[in-house]
Amino acid sequence: MDFSKVALDDGQAAFAREVGEFFAARVTPDVLDAEERSGDGFCEPLHLAMGERGWLLDTWPETDGGAGLGPVEHRLLVLGKERTGLPFITLDTTRLVAEAVRRHAPEESRRRLMLDAARGTVRFCLGYTEPEGGSDVAAAATRAVRDGDGWVVDGAKMFTTGAHNCQYAFTITRTNPGVRKHKGLTMLLVPLDAPGVSVSPVRTFGGERTNIVYFGGVRVPDSLRIGPVDGGWGVLHDRLDVEHGLGADAAALALDPPSVRTGYATLLARCVDAVHEWSLGDDGRAVAADDLRYRLGRVAIEAEAALSAPGHYGRVAASRALIDGTARLMELLGQDVLLGAEGPAAVPLAERAHRFAQGTAIYGGTLEVFRNIIAEQDLKLPRPSYPA
Amino acid sequence: MDRFELRRHDYSLSGEQRQLISVLRDFLSAHCPPDVVRAAGPLGYDPALWDRLGELGLARMGLPAALGGAGASLVDLVLVAEELGRAAAPVPFADHAAASRLLSRYRPLAAPQADWDEPIGFGVREPGARGHLIPGGAVTRSAIVLAGPPAGPVGSLELWRGGQPAPAELPLSGLPAAWWACPGDRSVLATGDEAVRAHGRARTEWKLLTAATLIGLAGTGLAGAVEFAKTRYTRGVPVGTLQGISHPLADIATALVSGRHLLYRATWMLENEPGTRPDLAPAACAFAARATADALETAVHVQGGLGFTLESDVSLYFLRARGLIAAGGDPGRDVLEVVDGLDAIRRAEPASRGAGTETKTR
Ligand SMILES: Cc1cc2nc3c(=O)[nH]c(=O)nc-3n(C[C@H](O)[C@H](O)[C@H](O)COP(=O)(O)OP(=O)(O)OC[C@H]3O[C@@H](n4cnc5c(N)ncnc54)[C@H](O)[C@@H]3O)c2cc1C
């Protein structure tokens, strides 16, 4: 057990300063406003500037376009990104797919895609969910049919976040309808500028912009197939986090938070801090009534518990804490300030977080899907029987 | 507070800690099955089990080597308390560990060695009309309390022996609590701010150990409910395949894992960096109290009518948890202490404003 602050050597301390200055200079109020309006989860100049430093695929070696960062520097970079408060959705999806490319793309396209992704000129989004449903990923109906040295793709993908800023959609296609659903899937990188692709915006009340993408007779060369034909399920279930490559030494340092979704809990903790700040007088003494302090305390506790939750438990804990906690903070801040009366700076932060929170129960696998996983994998409860 | 500081998140147990747990778990499954818990009756104490645990070194674990102890860390004691909770062991471990550690600071050599093996009670809260509530006080012959003028600021940390405590019984809770009003013999260990500070630290230790006991109890309750859900059938399927059953179980598993981790982190911080995160210990205690109560409610309910019978094991855990939660006093106080902790963190920060004015986005 160890929760100590990590002691930085001189090089690491200098790197930490570099990261701080890099983001402070580029994440200006204009950038934040633009993100708030667009809901893109993407800022091209920032993305390209990171690419110039090898910071997009930062743990890859420099020869592959990365910066060869070690585990400590990598964490410093991640924390620097998180501190900006910007969502880096397209960067996250690009990193995931880039790792799949590195492991599974054919020789003729692999190197170029890796280098371009690392530089920032090629971005990837995820084409998993379809209009008919996302939880049952293996039921994908988008067809890819062999045609000479390539494929012809027909179908539609829903919630293809970032597609309008990306060059390729990492797409689950059905290549063999005659076998069990998991066995007939193939992963293709569908070029988003190819004839037959259309991308239309879909907005959420959390502020995000996502898309619906239609494929009508889209030709995809076989060099953009990622992994074996009909072997898409295996590619999807390969652990595709780039950090995985840092190996056992990095794991032993235990620098990563216990779950991949502690970011939701961190967001809640920041809202708690902001509301707490508001509850204090200028001299730092508590001014709020016990009633308000009690309600704030309850949310603070949920945030800390969610920050501690490991693995897929953390996905459920952090999303639930954020949804419930921000709702309680909305009540606590008072209805008049929500309706526009003069109010503290905490209001817009918490109000946005409250809307954003609802989506966290859905993407990346819904809460119900994760409860199923906990029930089956951790509690070893018997699986429900599904007809298909 | 800087939420983006580079810290380790190492929740893993050392080889020695895993060894400790496995020895204790084996011991308790042999010597403390549910019928032993039941046989301990309404008093919730099994002196023979206490002696056996003493032979394993548990009574002195948290004491320095000079007193025959192992100098165990508070984290180690938390792990022990969790195991004892898992077995619902009818022994006042949290009281004894908190009180004996406190006593050892003031009376390192005064007491004959054997005394350290005898359970000592601990008055965790301020005195009420009936005196000091000692959670294990119905079965201990001595107790440490923070006495003093009822409303005045000056405290007096005292070791009381041989009074005639009045039983404080919560129906069926198996909590050996008693109200101690007038001791046969009292000796003063410390006074004034020092007394209040030392008692406060021991109180936090008691609360963390009790939170661990609760999490252990709830974990056993959950395991029983999961077993039931696998083997109980309705309309041809195990009830555990129904999401009305499995999802609440997944949620309480989530809460218990979160609560256990939070407790570890809070304990580690208190021990290694006291003062950095004063909000965490009360947060861990309040969370454990609520998560345990919720978990055991669910564990009862999942087992249908059988869970509600006195014969069911889960009823033991349910009732015991309620007793332990009551012993610590109003968990709402812990919630307020969390915010006091946030105040203290904020006050310790340099003049620049904290997270509230940092950046304005999500
Ligand atoms: C903002 C946003 C961004 C997204 N970005 C992407 C993206 O970039 N790429 C991408 O491919 N997808 C993306 N998604 C889609 C997301 O992954 C899906 O919405 C999600 O997987 C759920 O699928 P669905 O919406 O079709 O709901 P459905 O699968 O139709 O589910 C409907 C309801 O049934 C429940 N349910 C389903 N199956 C079970 C079960 N077995 N047991 C119990 N309950 C069940 C669900 O929890 C849900 O409440 C995004 C979604 C949002 C909201």
Side-chain angles (χ1 to χ4, degrees), chain A residues 89 93 125-137 157-162 204 208 210 359 361-369 372 386, chain B residues 243 247:
Chain A
I89 309 295
T93 56
C125 58
L126 306 180
Y128 299 173
T129 305
E130 300 195 350
E132 290 308 307
S135 298
D136 188 5
V137 190
K157 292 288 174 179
M158 180 67 186
F159 298 119
T160 322
T161 309
T204 73
E208 296 101 337
T210 176
I362 306 297
Y363 39 70
T366 67
L367 287 183
E368 286 70 31
V369 167
N372 288 344
Y386 300 106
Chain B
Q243 290 170 340
H247 284 192

Side-chain angles (χ1 to χ4, degrees), chain B residues 108-167:
Chain B
L109 296 169
Q113 296 265 318
D115 272 6
W116 297 108
D117 291 329
E118 215 184 90
I120 311 174
F122 180 64
V124 66
R125 341 183 193 157
E126 306 86 66
R130 298 183 69 191
H132 293 267
L133 180 86
I134 312 293
V139 301
T140 64
R141 284 190 288 188
S142 60
I144 295 184
V145 303
L146 183 64
V154 183
S156 162
L157 189 67
E158 300 179 0
L159 175 65
W160 288 8
R161 285 177 208 273
Q164 281 180 325

Side-chain angles (χ1 to χ4, degrees), chain A residues 1-4 6 32 83 85 254 270 273 276-277 293-294 304 308 310 349 352 371-372 380, chain B residues 2-3 6-10 12 230 243 247 251 261 265 277 340 343 346 353 360-362:
Chain A
M1 220 174 277
D2 185 358
F3 303 97
S4 60
V6 177
L32 293 166
R83 193 188 286 276
R270 291 182 69 181
D273 291 343
H276 176 249
E277 177 92 16
R293 288 168 68 76
Y294 176 84
E304 288 302 337
S308 314
L349 178 70
R352 259 196 302 271
R371 287 184 178 109
N372 288 344
K380 313 273 186 245
Chain B
D2 184 2
R3 300 279 184 184
L6 180 56
R7 279 187 178 269
R8 290 181 213 287
H9 301 270
D10 182 1
S12 69
K230 286 179 190 168
Q243 290 170 340
H247 284 192
D251 283 343
H261 268 196
R265 184 156 63 97
R277 294 295 305 271
D340 294 341
D343 291 352
R346 183 65 193 77
R353 295 299 237 167
K360 46 170 284 196
T361 69
R362 55 166 183 263

Side-chain angles (χ1 to χ4, degrees), chain A residues 103 150-151 168 205 215 267 323 381 385:
Chain A
R103 291 188 216 178
W151 302 85
Y168 299 94
F205 71 71
F215 302 122
L267 173 59
I323 291 170
L381 286 168
S385 65

